[in-house]
Amino acid sequence: MIGSFVGLVVAPMVIAGLARWAAARRRRGLAAGRAVHFRCRLDGHKGRVLIDSRLDRPVFLDRPGNVTALPRGGEALDASVSTNGRPPFEKVDLRYRTPEGPVLRLRLATHDARTLGAWLGERPRPVSAPARRLLLPVAPTWAVLVLGACLFVGLVTADVALLGKHVAAEVVRVERPDGSCIVGWDGGAQRAAVDCDTTDVRSGDRIRITALPWPFLGEAVTTRTALSVVAVVGGGLGLLGLGGALMVNPLACARRVRLASRGRPAIPLRADVGGEAGEDRWLALDNDLSYAGLAAAARHGDRHRPGPRVTLPRRGVGRTSISPRIWVLTTVLGTTAWYSLGFSAAAILEDRFHLGHWRFLVFGTIGIASLARIGWVATDRSALCRPVLRAAHSDAGKGTWQPMRYVRLCRGPGEMGLVLFRPEGGEVTAPLFLQPISRSRGSERRTVGGPAPVGEALVLDTGVGPLICEIDGVRYLPRGRATEAATDPARTRAELRSFAESHLRPLGRS
């Protein structure tokens, strides 16, 4: 039963978490200007998308050596998810229309599809000055995991060296067939089996051992053997990880760049005229989620939806909707893992479940996982703070701010999102972005701060995912990254429905 649980529940969750973590590392490396090589398929051909400063433009290099250019500044038309019954290994078929007209069909992992679709859709920015130094490519996942294992071995060794008890134990019995000795210390109150040289050790001799700390109380190791094992295992893992990150991966990336530079161009693609989607048409979007439907739901929700009303933010015109300092704290530290961390800490201090020493293992694991989650969220979101604050204090008169129409939807008290549309579209225009905004206090008592249900906004792309929206002189700080409709239609449709269904008029009422 335990094996089935591990194989069917734990293993897929671990694989999915590692895949998401690796995709986030590639996204941050791409934003930092490092070389990133994505595994994918282009029209059924296996290969890699090479985004490397040593190449003039991003290209796709297939296994035979053919090269297909991927010019930026195009449009991601739609995307479809194919899980094949195995969610940890789901893939996304992304249709990308180049500026010249041909439509490319890329198949890659879900989070890589979001990153690559958004990056290809941006127009390339001119480079003001060459980089002072060549950044190493993003290290492969296996090398980072090996380095993490080396760090874990080092931490365990430090724990044993600092918290372990170093004593001279007396040999009680020699087990020659097993090559071990039964030793005792603390006047014989503690006994354990350790490795020893059975040819030289006799009963009654004293050997140096290290009694292990919690959670391995009652176990011991010999000092000489433990040092050898740690040196071999930890040193081997460290050399393997460093070699992969600093030598193997850069050499492999350089080899792909050389192949792409010398490779022959692939067969040019024709423009996909028949299946091309118009500007106001999105094949994956239902008709009830157009501008007209969402605007009607937003207006109806403001009149009839229960809960706190929405009024203008308290901070007023010319300022952000929420204090930047409070926004940074809530963004970096805003995760529900604090509840599980507090619960595990309380359970360890107060044994209400009568688990004895097992509570340290059970709730200690929960606490460590909660701390890991908090650290992961803080690391992932801290990269957003500086670009968002810089964009929030930038001049609105510059051309980087784009006018858009918006529809404001509220899913719950303080859970608010802005659906952004093209300014020149009609009533059936499909949405471009869904940007959640941070909760702010309203100008009246017991209200939530926010804009009018429908209107126009100035939108600025921060370059790292979130969008800054200025409405009636108030700049609304984001609550997470924006969801681009064309890049991830399934997720956008699900989120829009979850927002809009809380606004719709119940059936049977006038």
Side-chain angles (χ1 to χ4, degrees), residues 59-81:
V59 298
F60 173 81
L61 176 66
D62 59 9
R63 291 186 174 180
N66 300 321
V67 179
T68 303
L70 297 176
R72 300 178 65 186
E75 180 184 5
L77 299 179
D78 55 38
S80 58
V81 180

Side-chain angles (χ1 to χ4, degrees), residues 285-291 293-294 421 429-431 493 496-497 500:
L285 183 65
D286 296 337
N287 294 329
D288 59 337
L289 299 181
S290 62
Y291 176 79
L294 293 177
F421 300 83
T429 304
R493 184 169 59 252
L496 286 177
R497 283 182 172 175

Side-chain angles (χ1 to χ4, degrees), residues 103 110 190 225:
V103 177
T110 304
Q190 299 288 338
T225 306

Side-chain angles (χ1 to χ4, degrees), residues 38-49 60-66 107:
F38 294 92
R39 292 178 180 268
C40 71
R41 289 175 179 261
L42 177 62
D43 294 333
H45 301 285
K46 289 184 177 181
R48 294 176 184 265
V49 173
F60 173 81
L61 176 66
D62 59 9
R63 291 186 174 180
N66 300 321
R107 181 180 176 84

